[in-house]
DNA sequence: TTGAAAGCGCTAACAG
DNA sequence: CTGTTAGCGCTTTCAA
């Protein structure tokens, strides 16, 4: 441990080979290569000039010593930070117990790995805006991915993170957005219902504060409006439990409903289970659609719209890491997935 | 941007209040509190002595300036690292496209957040042991969580990480393990099958190199051996596709099989779909069990055993972060979840 | 109890 | 093209 082997290079210069214990530092590499630390830094970081000879010697030395740059030190001097913060807005910390968030975090971690960056995830209470400010005050934060955020939160993103923040959901003048095309996905589902002869179409919406959910609602309203049909809306919250209750409410208020559009697959699954419990046939009496195409959807033959969460998160994290101008808005298409429920 | 307000404290000493831009550093806090940087460091880090007065003034100043310690700088000097590495062993990078891994990463990120640490995830090819060595050579790596690892890989964990590495799966003399009680879970399932009158019980196993999967197989063998029954094993790989093929193989080799134990829910679901396709009734003709209790399991009424992945990952990450002696082995119980498939 | 001073490992001007 | 020189922000001896 800490054992070193002192040897001699052909050039008759002393070098040190670390055999165990302390990982090699840039100094070790420079010494072994017989160049200055700056030169070693230049070739390792790939920045600045270096003669082919120097390049070669440094590379060899680094290889032999198993040199790996210390990300923390590098981040300190460059001021770039060492981790990507995934901040998920919501009313309770339970928002983090969600496979959607899992996928975002995991995808982000995968993108960050080669850059030597880590990822952390935090719940952002909607009513405690100070937290975002505190979290982003840590210079170790290299970038920010906001999930399900609000405009209020968006405005709190500090200047330091301009260009290093992306929102999965709505964006702002300073924070670009990467998102799923809720309107397109929901629209195609509503059109499918209409094409199937449904005319009394209700919708179980998401929480009002969530803009992306609202886009689905707007699409639903627009389409029904265009067709001269009245809307039937019940507020939900993405959960199956709320979907159940909502199904009851829909049928109580509008007994002749022949289709229910759920804001999410979980919602739709809740709706279906309640409907079946009440002996309403799906899709014969009432057609039901979801949104997201989670694994459960295919198993339960739920008609829904696709939502490539992993690809979206990967794009978001990549945008944060790559420091080049980003489009204000990147929309991933959502395709209808027609199965048996509608 | 970068605007500052110069004011005067009651003690008539100059201080600087950052109103925007550059986050406050420890120097700013010290200056504002009228103490040396060392003193400020002691009270902020909570290490070493400080008079109540100093403590108070530093706290106030830090609060007012919205001071947040720079994790990277701290890690650099303390040598503690800035991120937790989740390394997932497997034969292809696709092992990372798995909700199991997502949950582990996400849970780890949650545990790390308050410590100012990030998380990265890496695929560890079984045949490229050098990668682990290279990855862990980065001093920025504060800790290691190995997933589905092998003894060979375990032996490569460097001394520097001793006490800062945990394995979800098998452990070693130097790396403690946190795991699910596969044997217990599988055992209770096999007993349930036996109690239900099944006597010709086959098993679709996991890949041979995976020790945790092997524990299930051992339990199956032991129980059948104790009952004087012959074993019927087909090698699987946790996938539904392989489960399908395995079901075919089982029935070809042992046509009178009356129960199939799947190494995972995905495997079992694959088995069931193949069985149904071949007009074999489940559970009437052949009972099928899984392992993990994924969301799909309840939707498909699959009998299985529970697997609290989130809790396991949280425990693992916590052990890595808390620097106290750990038990060599922590086993989380797996309870049978009886549904319709067996 | 406190402050001065010396780095942690690396990058980035700036002269040579 | 290369080496010298300053730090990045923080912790930690060591004296005072």
């Amino acid at each position: 441990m800490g054992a070193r082997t002192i040897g001699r290079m052909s050039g008759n210069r002393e070098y040190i080979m670390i055999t165990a214990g302390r990982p090699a530092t840039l100094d070790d590499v420079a010494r072994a290569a017989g160049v200055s630390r700056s030169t070693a830094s230049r070739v390792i970081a790939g920045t600045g000039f270096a003669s082919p000879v120097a390049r070669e010697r440094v590379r060899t030395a680094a290889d032999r010593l198993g040199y790996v740059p210390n990300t923390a030190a590098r981040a300190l001097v460059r001021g770039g930070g060492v981790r990507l913060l995934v901040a998920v807005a919501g009313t309770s910390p339970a928002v983090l117990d969600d496979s959607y968030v899992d996928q975002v975090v995991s995808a982000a971690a995968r993108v960050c790995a080669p850059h030597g960056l880590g990822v952390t995830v935090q719940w952002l209470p909607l009513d405690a805006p100070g937290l975002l400010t505190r979290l982003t005050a840590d210079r170790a934060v290299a970038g920010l991915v906001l999930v399900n955020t609000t405009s209020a939160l968006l405005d709190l993103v500090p200047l330091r993170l301009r260009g290093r923040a992306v929102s999965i959901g709505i964006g702002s003048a300073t924070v670009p957005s990467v998102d799923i095309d809720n309107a397109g996905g929901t629209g195609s589902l509503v059109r499918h219902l209409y094409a199937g002869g449904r005319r009394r179409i209700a919708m179980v919406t998401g929480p009002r504060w969530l803009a992306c959910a609202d886009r689905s609602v707007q699409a639903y309203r627009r389409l029904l409006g265009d067709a001269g049909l009245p809307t039937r809306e019940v507020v939900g919250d993405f959960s199956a439990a709320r979907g159940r209750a909502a199904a009851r409410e829909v049928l109580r208020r509008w007994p002749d409903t022949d289709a229910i559009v759920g804001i999410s697959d979980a919602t739709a699954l809740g709706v279906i289970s309640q409907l079946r419990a009440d002996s309403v046939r799906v899709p014969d009496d009432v057609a039901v659609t979801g949104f997201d195409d989670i694994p459960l959807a295919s198993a339960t033959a739920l008609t829904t719209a696709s939502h490539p969460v992993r690809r979206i998160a990967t794009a978001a994290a990549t945008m944060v890491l790559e420091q080049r101008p980003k489009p204000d808005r990147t929309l991933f298409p959502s395709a209808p997935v027609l199965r048996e429920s509608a």
Side-chain angles (χ1 to χ4, degrees), chain A residues 4-5 11 17 34 36 68 121 138 142 151 176 185 222 238 243 253 266 291 304:
Chain A
R4 304 172 182 191
T5 309
M17 177 154 61
S36 75
V68 177
V121 60
D138 186 346
S151 331
R222 184 158 19 82
F238 287 109
R253 292 171 60 185
F291 197 104
T304 185

Side-chain angles (χ1 to χ4, degrees), chain A residues 72-268:
Chain A
R74 188 175 267 185
L76 179 58
V77 54
R78 289 216 266 229
V82 294
R83 64 182 196 270
L84 183 77
L85 175 61
V86 175
V88 187
T91 49
S92 98
V95 289
L96 298 186
D97 292 320
D98 188 307
S99 78
Y100 176 83
V101 173
D102 287 349
Q103 286 180 70
V104 172
V105 172
S106 190
R110 219 162 145 177
V111 172
C112 285
H115 295 257
L117 292 177
V119 169
T120 23
V121 60
Q122 287 267 4
W123 162 52
L124 232 46
L126 290 171
D127 52 3
L131 181 57
L132 216 210
T133 309
R134 197 161 353 121
L135 289 173
T136 52
D138 186 346
R139 292 179 106 112
V141 171
L144 177 65
V145 172
L146 255 0
V147 177
N148 284 355
T149 194
T150 62
S151 331
L153 245 17
L154 244 18
D155 291 339
L156 260 36
V157 174
L159 300 90
R160 186 178 70 84
L161 254 26
R162 287 283 165 83
R164 296 200 147 275
V166 169
S167 168
I168 297 185
I170 57 165
S172 74
T174 55
V175 182
S177 115
V178 183
D179 210 350
I180 184 73
D181 180 11
N182 303 77
T186 302
S188 57
L189 253 19
V190 171
R191 268 190 297 270
H192 167 73
L193 290 170
Y194 189 89
R198 313 286 172 164
R199 289 296 180 273
R200 296 177 297 275
I201 306 172
M203 176 164 201
V204 180
T205 72
R208 292 185 199 287
W209 62 268
L210 204 55
C212 69
D214 203 51
R215 289 207 305 273
S216 285
V217 180
Q218 298 300 342
Y220 159 81
R221 285 182 190 155
R222 184 158 19 82
L223 252 32
L224 261 61
D226 289 352
L229 300 173
T231 61
R232 307 174 164 192
E233 298 175 21
V234 169
V235 177
D237 62 0
F238 287 109
S239 77
R242 189 72 199 96
R244 269 200 190 75
R248 272 255 156 98
E249 188 177 340
V250 166
L251 289 191
R252 185 176 53 68
R253 292 171 60 185
W254 308 286
D256 64 347
T257 297
D258 61 9
I260 299 180
V261 176
I263 191 71
S264 72
D265 285 350
T267 301

Side-chain angles (χ1 to χ4, degrees), chain A residues 193 198 200 202 250-251 254-261 271-272 275-276 280-289 340-342:
Chain A
L193 290 170
R198 313 286 172 164
R200 296 177 297 275
V250 166
L251 289 191
W254 308 286
D256 64 347
T257 297
D258 61 9
I260 299 180
V261 176
V271 165
I272 291 178
L275 254 27
R276 296 225 161 106
V280 176
R281 291 170 307 162
V282 176
D284 311 68
D285 300 330
V286 176
V288 178
T289 64
E340 297 168 22
S341 72

Side-chain angles (χ1 to χ4, degrees), chain A residues 44-57:
Chain A
I44 299 275
T47 162
F49 303 97
S51 65
V53 211
R55 207 175 293 278
E56 172 58 21
R57 297 177 60 165

